[in-house]
Amino acid sequence: MFLNTLTPKFYVALTGTSSLISGLILIFEWWYFRKYGTSFIEQVSVSHLRPLLGGVDNSSPTNSSSSSNGEADSNRQSVSECKVWRNPLNLFRGAEYNRYTWVTGREPLTYYDMNLSAQDHQTFFTCDSDHLRPPDAIMQKAWRERNPQARISAAHEALELEDCATAYILLAEEEATTIVEAEKLFKQALKSGEGCYRRSQQLQHHGTQYEAQHRRDTNVLVYIKRRLAMCSRKLGRTREAVKMMRDLMKEFPLLSMFNIHENLLESLLELQSYADVQAVLAKYDDISLPKSATICYTAALLKARAVSDKFSPEAASRRGLSTAEMNAVEAIHRAVEFNPHVPKYLLEMKSLILPPEHILKRGDSEAIAYAFFHLQHWKRVEGALNLLHCTWEGTFRMIPYPLEKGHLFYPYPICTETADRELLPTVFHEVSVYPKKELPFFILFTAGLCSFTAMLALLTHQFPELMGVFAKAFLSTLFAPLNFIMEKVESVLPSSLWHQLTRI
C-alpha cells in the first residue's frame, strides 16, 4: 500500500535531494583535500570514530617504547630536514623583484618569506650596543619596519647623521632599481663596513659587548663582499666575481651560513671551468656536510658531461650501460632522490617563477632556486638533459615508499609541502608535491554517488511514469525476502496469535 501511494513527484524530489546533498559533500571534500591534503571524512573517522570502536594498538610495552624512540628519532630528523635556509643566490628586491612586480602586477615574495628576511637582517646586522650610536639605533628600528618606504626613509635618516654600512645595504637591496646602482651603494657600504670591522677587531677582547659588536661587523662585511661578488656576476664580470668569492672564503673560512660555495659553483659553471667545479665539490660534497640540490645536481652534471654527448637509450638497451654511464645514472638517481622536484623544471615540464629569498632543502622552493640559475648550464652540456630525461624516473623504483625509507638519504620529509606553500606565491604557482597524492576513497565515492543520483534525478524528471514503475519493481524485489518470511510465519502461527502480532 505504501509503495502504491508514492507518486512520481516523490521520486523526483528524493533523487534530486540526494544528488544535491552528495554534490555538496563532494565539493567540501575536494576543497578540504586541496587545502589540507587529506580527506575530511577519513580524518574524522580515524581521529574520532576509531577510538570509540576500539581501534587501539595493543602492542607490548617493549615494542611501544622502541617504536616511540624510533618516532622521536625520525621526528628530530624531520625537523632538521625541514629547516628553512637563506637562498644563497637570492635576487635584489629593488633591482629584480620589484621590477617584476612593476611589469606583471604580481608579488613574487610571500609575507612569510619577507618576514624571515626581516628576522635574518635583525640577527646579522644588529647587536645589543646599537643604542650607543644613533645611526645604528635608527637602523635597528628600520629592520623591523614592515613598510618598505619607511625602511628606506630610515636609512636616509641614518646616513644624514653619519656613514652607516647597514643603511647603504638597505638602500642597495630595496631602493636601487638597477644592479649598477646597487653595486655603487655596496661599494660605499664596503668602505664604511671595513672601517667599523677594523675598529671592533681591536676591541673584541675587551668584553662581551665588544665581542657581539665585532660579530655583527663581521657579518656585515661578509654580506657586503658577497653581494658585490654577485653584482659582478650579474654584470658579466664572472672572473672577477670568482676571485672575490675565493678571497672571501679564504678570509672567513668558518662562516658557512652564507653558503658562498654555491655562488662559486654557479660562477665556475658559467666559465665552464669544470675542473675547478670538481675541486669545490670534492671539498663540500662530503658525507659529514649538509647536502643541497646545487651540490647533488652539479655532481650529476659533471658525471653526465663525460658520457651525455654519445649517449643513446636504444644503444644502451642493446649493449648495456658502460661504467661511466652507470656512474652518471647513479649520480642522477642520487640527485633526484635528494630533491625530486628539480627534473621537471630542468626539462621544462613545469614553468619557472622567480626564486624566493628562503628555500626549504629537498622542497619545491629549492628546486625553483636551483633551476632558475642552473638550467642554462645543463643546456650548455650537450646531451645532459636527454640523459636526465631518460633516467630520472628510475629513481622512484628504488624508493617505493619515500616517506618511510630512503635509499641514499633519509626518508623524504613530510613537512615540505606545508613550508613550500608558505614560501611560494601559490596564487600563480602550483606547488610541486612529492610523493604525488592520490585522491582519497571518499572523494571518489561521493563523486560516484553524486553522479549516480544526478542521473536518477534527470531520468525521473524526464520519464516519471516509467521510473516510478522501475522504483516500485526494485523496492518490491528488495522486500520480497521479507514478505516470504512473513508468509511462512503466518502459516505456522495460529490465526489468533498472528492477529495479535499484526495489531501490535
Side-chain angles (χ1 to χ4, degrees):
M1 289 174 58
F2 172 74
L3 295 178
N4 290 329
T5 57
L6 297 179
T7 63
K9 291 183 178 180
F10 169 80
Y11 294 110
V12 173
L14 177 64
T15 52
T17 306
S18 303
S19 176
L20 176 64
I21 293 173
S22 57
L24 293 175
I25 294 173
L26 173 63
I27 292 170
F28 176 76
E29 274 282 293
W30 178 254
W31 169 82
Y32 195 88
F33 174 73
R34 293 287 293 178
K35 187 169 184 180
Y36 300 105
T38 185
S39 165
F40 176 77
I41 300 175
E42 185 178 346
Q43 187 178 18
V44 170
S45 303
V46 172
S47 303
H48 301 287
L49 298 182
R50 186 180 177 186
L52 294 176
L53 297 175
V56 182
D57 186 14
N58 297 321
S59 57
S60 63
T62 306
N63 292 338
S64 63
S65 62
S66 62
S67 64
S68 64
N69 291 337
E71 288 176 5
D73 292 339
S74 64
N75 288 338
R76 281 195 295 271
Q77 180 60 36
S78 178
V79 169
S80 64
E81 288 277 357
C82 290
K83 176 184 175 183
V84 176
W85 299 73
R86 183 84 178 172
N87 183 3
L89 297 167
N90 65 309
L91 306 177
F92 293 84
R93 279 199 194 176
E96 292 172 306
Y97 286 121
N98 286 350
R99 294 180 72 180
Y100 175 82
T101 304
W102 298 336
V103 172
T104 64
R106 294 174 173 177
E107 289 290 342
L109 298 176
T110 63
Y111 173 77
Y112 176 70
D113 192 14
M114 291 188 288
N115 188 47
L116 289 175
S117 297
Q119 294 176 22
D120 291 342
H121 296 152
Q122 292 174 52
T123 302
F124 294 150
F125 303 148
T126 64
C127 66
D128 295 335
S129 62
D130 282 346
H131 64 279
L132 300 176
R133 189 167 173 261
D136 289 338
I138 293 173
M139 289 307 300
Q140 191 174 43
K141 294 179 181 178
W143 294 120
R144 296 172 184 168
E145 281 285 348
R146 291 185 179 181
N147 187 351
Q149 291 303 319
R151 289 196 296 268
I152 292 171
S153 299
H156 283 295
E157 183 184 347
L159 288 174
E160 288 175 1
L161 298 176
E162 191 179 343
D163 247 13
C164 180
T166 53
Y168 284 121
I169 289 175
L170 193 147
L171 295 177
E173 292 285 354
E174 301 195 21
E175 188 182 42
T177 57
T178 64
I179 301 298
V180 175
E181 292 177 23
E183 186 180 36
K184 289 179 181 177
L185 289 167
F186 273 121
K187 286 180 178 178
Q188 292 176 279
L190 179 63
K191 185 178 179 181
S192 176
E194 285 179 333
C196 292
Y197 175 76
R198 283 193 294 268
R199 287 193 295 271
S200 63
Q201 190 176 29
Q202 295 172 356
L203 301 172
Q204 62 175 316
H205 301 297
H206 290 194
T208 54
Q209 175 181 325
Y210 294 103
E211 186 179 349
Q213 191 171 347
H214 177 65
R215 191 182 308 115
R216 188 274 310 273
D217 292 337
T218 303
N219 289 336
V220 169
L221 185 62
V222 172
Y223 186 89
I224 293 169
K225 289 187 174 183
R226 173 175 156 270
R227 289 307 248 177
L228 277 171
M230 293 177 70
C231 287
S232 297
R233 167 69 184 90
K234 291 175 185 292
L235 294 172
R237 305 194 303 269
T238 310
R239 294 189 183 278
E240 179 185 336
V242 168
K243 183 180 184 305
M244 294 171 71
M245 292 172 192
R246 288 189 186 278
D247 292 343
L248 187 57
M249 292 169 68
K250 289 178 183 177
E251 188 177 358
F252 302 97
L254 300 178
L255 281 181
S256 59
M257 57 185 168
F258 290 107
N259 291 325
I260 303 169
H261 61 277
E262 297 199 8
N263 298 83
L264 179 60
L265 282 172
E266 196 278 327
S267 298
L268 290 172
L269 286 171
E270 177 63 22
L271 294 174
Q272 301 184 44
S273 302
Y274 297 110
D276 292 333
V277 172
Q278 185 62 59
V280 175
L281 284 177
K283 183 178 180 181
Y284 289 96
D285 193 5
D286 187 80
I287 193 170
S288 62
L289 297 176
K291 298 292 179 291
S292 68
T294 301
I295 289 176
C296 293
Y297 277 89
T298 303
L301 176 62
L302 291 188
K303 285 188 167 61
R305 177 176 168 269
V307 298
S308 60
D309 57 335
K310 299 177 182 177
F311 178 79
S312 169
E314 294 81 9
S317 62
R318 287 197 306 270
R319 58 173 170 77
L321 294 174
S322 65
T323 303
E325 289 173 339
M326 185 65 72
N327 290 337
V329 171
E330 287 176 356
I332 289 174
H333 286 176
R334 172 178 178 260
V336 174
E337 182 183 352
F338 182 82
N339 193 317
H341 308 281
V342 172
K344 286 191 175 182
Y345 293 109
L346 292 179
L347 298 172
E348 298 181 86
M349 299 165 65
K350 196 171 182 187
S351 58
L352 275 171
I353 61 172
L354 293 185
E357 292 184 338
H358 289 80
I359 59 173
L360 183 69
K361 288 192 176 182
R362 307 187 75 177
D364 191 30
S365 51
E366 184 192 33
I368 291 170
Y370 172 79
F372 186 85
F373 293 99
H374 288 261
L375 176 58
Q376 57 180 329
H377 307 314
W378 279 81
K379 286 184 174 181
R380 191 177 291 128
V381 176
E382 184 183 355
L385 289 175
N386 177 47
L387 180 61
L388 178 68
H389 174 73
C390 295
T391 58
W392 73 279
E393 290 181 331
T395 310
F396 307 126
R397 290 193 290 271
M398 298 186 294
I399 41 174
Y401 304 103
L403 300 180
E404 301 171 12
K405 187 179 180 181
H407 179 61
L408 297 173
F409 297 99
Y410 286 101
Y412 190 80
I414 304 173
C415 61
T416 54
E417 181 186 355
T418 305
D420 279 333
R421 290 190 186 279
E422 296 286 342
L423 289 170
L424 299 171
T426 53
V427 177
F428 55 89
H429 174 73
E430 184 180 353
V431 175
S432 178
V433 178
Y434 174 78
K436 194 67 177 177
K437 293 182 179 177
E438 297 180 357
L439 286 176
F441 164 76
F442 286 104
I443 289 184
L444 300 175
F445 176 76
T446 51
L449 181 63
C450 178
S451 303
F452 178 69
T453 52
M455 182 182 66
L456 284 181
L458 179 63
L459 291 174
T460 307
H461 179 71
Q462 293 292 329
F463 312 102
E465 299 294 339
L466 183 61
M467 291 302 294
V469 173
F470 278 133
K472 290 176 183 178
F474 174 74
L475 292 175
S476 299
T477 305
L478 187 66
F479 291 118
L482 181 61
N483 292 332
F484 177 75
I485 293 172
M486 295 294 289
E487 289 174 359
K488 288 295 182 182
V489 172
E490 184 181 2
S491 64
V492 172
L493 292 177
S495 58
S496 58
L497 181 58
W498 172 252
H499 287 307
Q500 290 178 5
L501 290 173
T502 53
R503 193 178 299 114
I504 294 173

